[in-house]
Amino acid sequence: MLEVKKEGIVLSKSEQGFEVEGVLNPAVIHYGDYIHMFYRAVGKGNYSSIGYAKFKTPLEVVERLDVPIIFPQFEYEEHGVEDARIVRIDNLFYLSYCAFDGVNALGALATSPDLITWTKHGIIVPHMMFDEFKRLAGTKSKLNEKYFRYNEHEGIKEKNGKKVLVWDKNVVFFPRRINGMLHFIHRIKPDIQIVCVHELSELTPEFWQNYLLRFKDYVMLYPRLKHEISYIGGGCPPIETKEGWLLIYHGVYDSIKGFVYCACAALLDLEKPEIVLARLPYPLFKPELDWELKGEVNNVCFPTGAIVLDDKLYIYYGAADERIACASISLKELTNELMLNIK
């Protein structure tokens, strides 16, 4: 078994109104002399925005803004800007996040040249009701019944004056172009799907209709292990190693105490990342400590950001949906263990 060190809580909620209910699920990137963290901050009424903290070392905060750096501005995100991930591609920072309008939760994108000024690009995932999704995605082969369980919304078509859409969250970009193409993963429960395009402008309604006609071809990871059997979703941006892309994702299983969220690991082909080379057959880590077991949502370790310093991989995660913690592991040991589990 791998040795994972729980480094502890690195950021807690404060008395500032925008984060008085909790901080969780951070995006992190090592750029310049600092580690930059863009975290989900939850205010009263479960309204979320993105806060910012700067770290000098993986565990040492040296600056923290007292106002959010990204916040709801448009109708599609009026109830929350949530669960960011960040990468740098072609000298531009890509910050993907979940936009919540009070009814629908969908993947959106903002970009920045400098981590200070941000341009929002809106929703970048399919924007459709379940009946259309079912018709298109079920064209070639029968859909897994879990797609109905998690996405049909009990047949509700409209809520609070808005159409009820298929939720598509956990948009995570690869940190460079692969064969000239932008790649990102996204998640329509219960699986993780993958997309590649030359440019973001290709992500039109017509693109998504054609994509869904071949939906099964784009499912990259299925939940099949005991600790992830309910559903899975993207976690940290993939990390390039000589063995392949290291993907830290989250897996969920049902228990008598409700859903349990774990950190999981897989290895993807460098040139064809839709090919899964290996998968850790047990959780990388799971809720065990009091601050992971009890919080706004109990039993949650939700990884969303990672950095590598020398051989050490630091994984930042939301702990019980209320605070941000960090775990560390030898990158070499993790990739070696994955190589022992080649498919």
Side-chain angles (χ1 to χ4, degrees), residues 133-151:
F133 168 81
K134 177 178 64 175
R135 176 175 57 81
L136 293 168
T139 298
K140 283 187 69 177
S141 56
K142 186 178 179 181
L143 278 173
N144 181 329
E145 63 88 20
K146 286 185 179 179
Y147 280 99
F148 295 81
R149 185 192 313 171
Y150 291 127
N151 301 289

Side-chain angles (χ1 to χ4, degrees), residues 68-310:
I69 196 167
I70 299 174
F71 50 89
Q73 294 173 287
F74 302 101
E75 185 177 357
Y76 65 84
E77 60 186 10
E78 63 183 349
H79 203 94
V81 175
E82 307 175 352
D83 303 350
R85 277 80 160 189
I86 191 168
V87 297
R88 187 169 183 250
I89 308 170
D90 302 335
N91 297 316
L92 191 67
F93 294 98
Y94 286 63
L95 186 139
S96 50
Y97 63 94
C98 175
F100 184 49
D101 67 2
V103 174
N104 300 299
L106 299 168
L109 179 69
T111 57
S112 172
D114 55 12
L115 297 177
I116 299 170
T117 58
W118 294 91
T119 299
K120 290 183 176 178
H121 300 270
I123 303 296
I124 64 169
V125 296
H127 195 265
M128 61 181 61
M129 298 179 71
F130 182 75
D131 285 348
E132 183 181 6
F133 168 81
K134 177 178 64 175
R135 176 175 57 81
L136 293 168
T139 298
K140 283 187 69 177
S141 56
K142 186 178 179 181
L143 278 173
N144 181 329
E145 63 88 20
K146 286 185 179 179
Y147 280 99
F148 295 81
R149 185 192 313 171
Y150 291 127
N151 301 289
E152 199 169 18
H153 303 298
E154 299 178 336
I156 297 170
K157 308 289 186 184
E158 188 174 305
K159 187 177 180 181
N160 299 334
K162 296 176 181 176
K163 291 181 179 179
V164 177
L165 307 176
V166 171
W167 285 23
D168 192 339
K169 302 170 61 176
N170 298 298
V171 171
V172 184
F173 279 81
F174 284 72
R176 67 167 173 84
R177 290 179 181 266
I178 304 169
N179 301 315
M181 307 280 279
L182 293 168
H183 286 68
F184 65 87
I185 60 175
H186 63 122
R187 196 279 306 278
I188 299 174
K189 286 181 180 178
D191 306 322
I192 296 175
Q193 300 88 23
I194 190 167
V195 175
C196 65
V197 291
H198 287 98
E199 302 299 337
L200 294 173
S201 58
E202 296 174 34
L203 299 172
T204 62
E206 293 74 24
F207 170 90
W208 286 116
Q209 288 167 354
N210 287 311
Y211 178 93
L212 290 171
L213 285 172
R214 299 182 175 275
F215 184 62
K216 191 173 182 180
D217 297 342
Y218 301 112
V219 175
M220 188 180 77
L221 275 171
Y222 302 84
R224 62 176 177 80
L225 301 168
K226 185 178 179 180
H227 60 276
E228 58 180 34
I229 195 63
S230 294
Y231 56 89
I232 58 176
C236 310
I239 296 163
E240 189 170 3
T241 73
K242 60 181 175 42
E243 292 84 6
W245 292 104
L246 171 63
L247 179 67
I248 306 298
Y249 63 100
H250 70 266
V252 184
Y253 68 91
D254 206 359
S255 74
I256 58 172
K257 296 181 179 180
F259 284 129
V260 178
Y261 285 72
C262 305
C264 310
L267 202 61
L268 314 175
D269 186 86
L270 282 177
E271 296 302 311
K272 296 181 178 180
E274 68 274 11
I275 298 174
V276 179
L277 302 176
R279 199 165 177 172
L280 204 63
Y282 52 85
L284 183 58
F285 59 89
K286 60 184 179 180
E288 296 170 310
L289 303 173
D290 192 55
W291 38 270
E292 300 166 334
L293 297 170
K294 296 179 182 178
E296 187 65 29
V297 179
N298 296 337
N299 304 307
V300 174
C301 289
F302 195 88
T304 47
I307 62 162
V308 178
L309 290 179
D310 298 320

